[in-house]
């Protein structure tokens, strides 16, 4: 039986992250990030996305100097085509 692909959203820095949500749709990862920002009363003026060096995660910068969101797949596949 084929495993359902899930997109995992993490929050933290390059050394330590924690999972804040997961979804079966890449498009819904932005909803998870938006909800997290709202719950923490953080207003972002921009969102920047880029692929990490190993191509396994998308790093999302919302304006913090040291913390980011990371989006990956539960099957550890390349995230390059998601952007």
């Amino acid at each position: 039986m084929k495993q359902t692909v899930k997109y995992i959203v993490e929050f933290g820095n390059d050394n330590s992250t924690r999972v804040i949500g997961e979804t079966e749709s890449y498009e819904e990862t932005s909803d998870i990030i938006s909800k997290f920002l709202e719950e923490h009363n953080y207003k972002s003026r921009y969102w920047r996305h880029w692929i990490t060096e190993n191509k396994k995660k998308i790093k999302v910068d919302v304006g913090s100097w040291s913390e980011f969101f990371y989006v990956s797949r539960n099957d550890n596949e390349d995230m390059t085509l998601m952007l």
Side-chain angles (χ1 to χ4, degrees), residues 17-74:
T17 62
R18 64 185 169 102
V19 174
I20 61 165
E22 65 179 52
T23 180
E24 293 181 10
S25 164
Y26 175 75
E27 291 74 23
E28 291 175 11
T29 61
S30 61
D31 295 337
I32 293 170
I33 294 171
S34 293
K35 182 179 178 187
F36 183 89
L37 293 173
E38 184 178 311
E39 288 172 353
H40 290 83
N41 296 316
Y42 186 84
K43 305 278 189 239
S44 175
R45 289 189 245 159
Y46 65 87
W47 288 35
R48 293 185 315 148
H49 303 78
W50 64 92
I51 303 292
T52 58
E53 287 181 23
N54 67 5
K55 298 181 182 173
K56 301 296 182 188
K57 293 185 179 187
I58 293 175
K59 190 173 187 177
V60 182
D61 174 11
V62 296
S64 171
W65 290 54
S66 60
E67 296 177 308
F68 304 91
F69 293 93
Y70 300 86
V71 179
S72 60
R73 291 170 52 131
N74 65 330

Side-chain angles (χ1 to χ4, degrees), residues 1-19:
M1 187 161 104
K2 188 173 181 179
Q3 177 181 343
T4 302
V5 173
K6 293 201 185 253
Y7 294 90
I8 301 162
V9 181
E10 299 171 83
F11 177 74
N13 58 42
D14 289 336
N15 299 316
S16 175
T17 62
R18 64 185 169 102
V19 174

